[in-house]
Amino acid sequence: MTDLNLTVIPLPSGVSVDDDIDLRGEVCPYTFVKSKLALEDMEVGQVLSIRLDHLPAVDNCPRSFRNEGQEIVGVEQVDDTDWLVTVRKVRE
Amino acid sequence: MSVNVYIPGPFRSATGNMAKVESEGSTVAEALRTLGNRYPAFKSLVFDLNGGVADHVAVFLNNRDIGTLQGDQTAIGEGDEISIVPAMSGGASGWSEEQILRYSRHIVMPQVGGKGQRKLLNAKVLLIGAGGLGSPTAMYLAAAGVGTIGLVDADVVDLSNLQRQLLHDTNDVGKPKVDSGQERINDLNPEVNVIKHRLYLNSENAMEIISGYDIVVNGCDNFPTRYLVNDTCVFLKKPLVDGSILFFEGQATVYLPGKGCYRCVYPAPPPPGMVPSCAEGGVLGVLPGIVGCIEAIETIKLILGLGESLSGRLLLFDALSMEFRQMKLRRDPQCPVCGDHPTVTELIDYEEFCLGIASPTEAAREAIRIG
């Protein structure tokens, strides 16, 4: 399917998603730019679900969020094209 | 009663990816609790710790907010539809698509982000001079999205300016610099609010003009203005990003309120005629590009609260040896304007003194300890 070695992280049950953003059709770096802006508007402890269909972004977004000290709680493929990356805001 | 419950995208992982599920109950609360018992993850998404519907979730019954009915005790009928609508940011609230693209290379940086970019957009920076130093400063601040840029310059564009003053084009010769500067800035970034001050700063207008800005960047070409801007910034407690150039050498520093000023370094101007102006002595055209860019960086650092300011250090650049050196600066307790016992307590026009046309006022004479 892809040369990317995407690491799937099943979203633990019971994780409450506070906000979501649909970034289908967006490519890097705007997938990260837009989801970062969305997370900035949220409170520490809240969880953002990001819907992506650009595979490199499924790799890049979690890495970029980790670089910023945020916690990736889920990376899951939900259908043929879409992935959900779930990030918890753990710092401002 | 059997009802349909519409599940929003972010919650569907809790309901087996189903967008619509059936539930039962006589009130909204009962119907949702029934679902919660069937799907434990759904329960934690929709209910708060007290068992009520969480604040970040809005619930609609047949497209009406239950808050306008009887809340979660609203009775339901057979075939009603309950919709669960979580709060969504819509992606990037308050940012236009163009802003996201334009500033993306700032926003991705952990040290800047949307919050830092917002600080830049809200910042008001006054540039003293729209010439050699002011040109690169203005263009990089505009490109960075500094929201308000004031330009102080009384001159018109001269052909001899174009060797270094990139704000202006050949077609601009004869045009006021603040006009061609505004055009250039808005060509680069239309969302920058450019405020034109086509005038010479003096003791009458300096306070009013400078008081409207957060940071002042000095790119002036003469000593009277340099002292006037310095004294005004001390009085108004405004940060002053300073730069100057001559021949192949440049200087840059930052004066922060309470941490020294230009007069701590140079209490008095040189005697008239001792230091040539750029017009007389010449200047390498690229040099103001270097020093003006350093001023732009220091300005952006101040706005973002990042890094170590050039405050307390005088950066010297020699283009011929291609060397940067730093001198330590300190606040002088004897400084005539920012010292412990200031003798300059109001703005003074040094034009007369510096040009040697007329005698300085007694106050000026006292303040700068001459004759």
Side-chain angles (χ1 to χ4, degrees):
Chain A
M1 177 181 70
T2 168
D3 292 336
L4 288 166
N5 190 14
L6 297 174
T7 306
V8 171
I9 302 173
L11 185 65
S13 64
V15 170
S16 157
V17 172
D18 299 284
D19 205 347
D20 71 348
I21 180 168
D22 184 350
L23 295 178
R24 286 175 294 180
E26 296 279 356
V27 298
C28 299
Y30 305 106
T31 40
F32 175 62
V33 170
K34 291 187 175 182
S35 49
K36 177 177 174 173
L37 290 173
L39 198 71
E40 282 186 3
D41 285 343
M42 298 170 67
E43 306 293 326
V44 169
Q46 289 192 311
V47 173
L48 174 70
S49 171
I50 307 155
R51 183 174 282 257
L52 302 164
D53 61 5
H54 178 65
L55 280 179
V58 178
D59 194 36
N60 291 334
C61 266
R63 183 172 54 242
S64 297
F65 275 119
R66 287 192 186 105
N67 282 344
E68 299 211 338
Q70 308 298 356
E71 182 190 356
I72 299 298
V73 291
V75 180
E76 290 181 299
Q77 187 160 15
V78 289
D79 61 30
D80 286 350
T81 56
D82 295 2
W83 289 68
L84 285 182
V85 169
T86 310
V87 54
R88 178 182 283 121
K89 181 170 180 170
V90 294
R91 53 181 287 184
E92 281 297 339
Chain B
M1 302 292 174
S2 177
V3 295
N4 285 315
V5 181
Y6 175 79
I7 308 297
F11 291 2
R12 280 176 208 159
S13 59
T15 59
N17 280 328
M18 286 200 288
K20 203 174 269 190
V21 292
E22 272 192 20
S23 187
E24 288 175 2
S26 58
T27 64
V28 170
E30 280 182 22
L32 294 180
R33 251 178 233 118
T34 303
L35 274 191
N37 292 336
R38 201 186 310 161
Y39 304 110
F42 177 83
K43 192 176 188 173
S44 65
L45 288 174
V46 173
F47 292 101
D48 60 25
L49 294 174
N50 302 320
V53 175
D55 287 340
H56 56 83
V57 174
V59 179
F60 295 78
L61 178 65
N62 299 329
N63 300 330
R64 292 182 66 188
D65 189 338
I66 61 169
T68 66
L69 305 169
Q70 281 82 50
D72 62 4
Q73 293 308 307
T74 303
I76 52 179
E78 185 73 23
D80 280 355
E81 183 176 90
I82 297 173
S83 300
I84 295 169
V85 181
M88 290 194 196
S89 73
S93 59
W95 295 95
S96 71
E97 198 68 17
E98 187 183 316
Q99 286 177 317
I100 290 172
L101 293 178
R102 182 182 286 276
Y103 305 122
S104 58
R105 268 55 169 182
H106 275 160
I107 295 170
V108 293
M109 284 200 284
Q111 298 87 344
V112 185
K115 286 176 182 167
Q117 189 60 49
R118 190 64 73 192
K119 288 182 190 171
L120 291 168
L121 288 165
N122 290 334
K124 297 178 177 178
V125 177
L126 181 66
L127 306 187
I128 310 295
L133 290 167
S135 285
T137 310
M139 291 174 74
Y140 273 109
L141 293 184
V146 169
T148 301
I149 296 177
L151 297 178
V152 177
D153 205 309
D155 288 344
V156 296
V157 179
D158 185 85
L159 202 51
S160 67
N161 300 148
L162 302 185
Q163 164 250 25
R164 64 199 176 283
Q165 301 184 11
L166 303 185
L167 270 182
H168 319 294
D169 285 337
T170 307
N171 290 332
D172 295 324
V173 170
K175 198 186 276 186
K177 286 187 179 178
V178 292
D179 290 345
S180 59
Q182 179 188 37
E183 287 167 18
R184 181 75 156 193
I185 287 170
N186 284 141
D187 281 349
L188 184 57
N189 188 345
E191 81 173 330
V192 175
N193 174 30
V194 179
I195 300 176
K196 299 185 283 187
H197 304 280
R198 192 186 171 195
L199 45 78
Y200 291 102
L201 275 187
N202 59 39
S203 63
E204 300 291 312
N205 60 25
M207 294 286 270
E208 189 183 343
I209 290 171
I210 290 179
S211 65
Y213 294 87
D214 306 318
I215 298 174
V216 179
V217 184
N218 212 346
C220 75
D221 61 357
N222 63 82
F223 286 112
T225 306
R226 214 162 267 285
Y227 281 86
L228 185 70
V229 169
N230 177 74
D231 294 356
T232 309
C233 287
V234 170
F235 294 150
L236 293 174
K237 296 184 170 57
K238 301 282 184 187
L240 173 61
V241 179
D242 204 36
S244 51
I245 47 166
L246 188 63
F247 305 134
F248 293 93
E249 291 174 56
Q251 302 180 353
T253 188
V254 174
Y255 299 111
L256 297 178
K259 296 187 174 177
C261 74
Y262 187 71
R263 283 189 195 266
C264 294
V265 191
Y266 305 107
M274 178 182 252
V275 178
S277 69
C278 287
E280 298 159 348
V283 59
L284 184 71
V286 190
L287 189 68
I290 303 282
V291 177
C293 285
I294 289 169
E295 293 189 88
I297 290 178
E298 288 302 310
T299 303
I300 287 173
K301 281 164 60 184
L302 285 179
I303 295 169
L304 297 177
L306 283 181
E308 288 176 37
S309 169
L310 201 48
S311 167
R313 295 178 287 156
L314 178 65
L315 186 68
L316 306 176
F317 173 62
D318 182 342
L320 290 183
S321 59
M322 197 48 83
E323 278 185 333
F324 285 94
R325 288 180 297 145
Q326 292 185 24
M327 305 292 142
K328 282 186 183 164
L329 299 183
R330 61 176 183 88
R331 174 178 169 271
D332 180 4
Q334 306 296 317
C335 174
V337 68
C338 80
D340 295 338
H341 306 286
T343 51
V344 174
T345 53
E346 58 184 33
L347 294 179
I348 303 157
D349 288 308
Y350 287 97
E351 197 82 39
E352 297 169 350
F353 161 74
C354 285
L355 294 179
I357 293 168
S359 299
T361 63
E362 280 308 307
R365 203 181 277 277
E366 175 72 18
I368 57 181
R369 296 189 233 122
I370 58 159

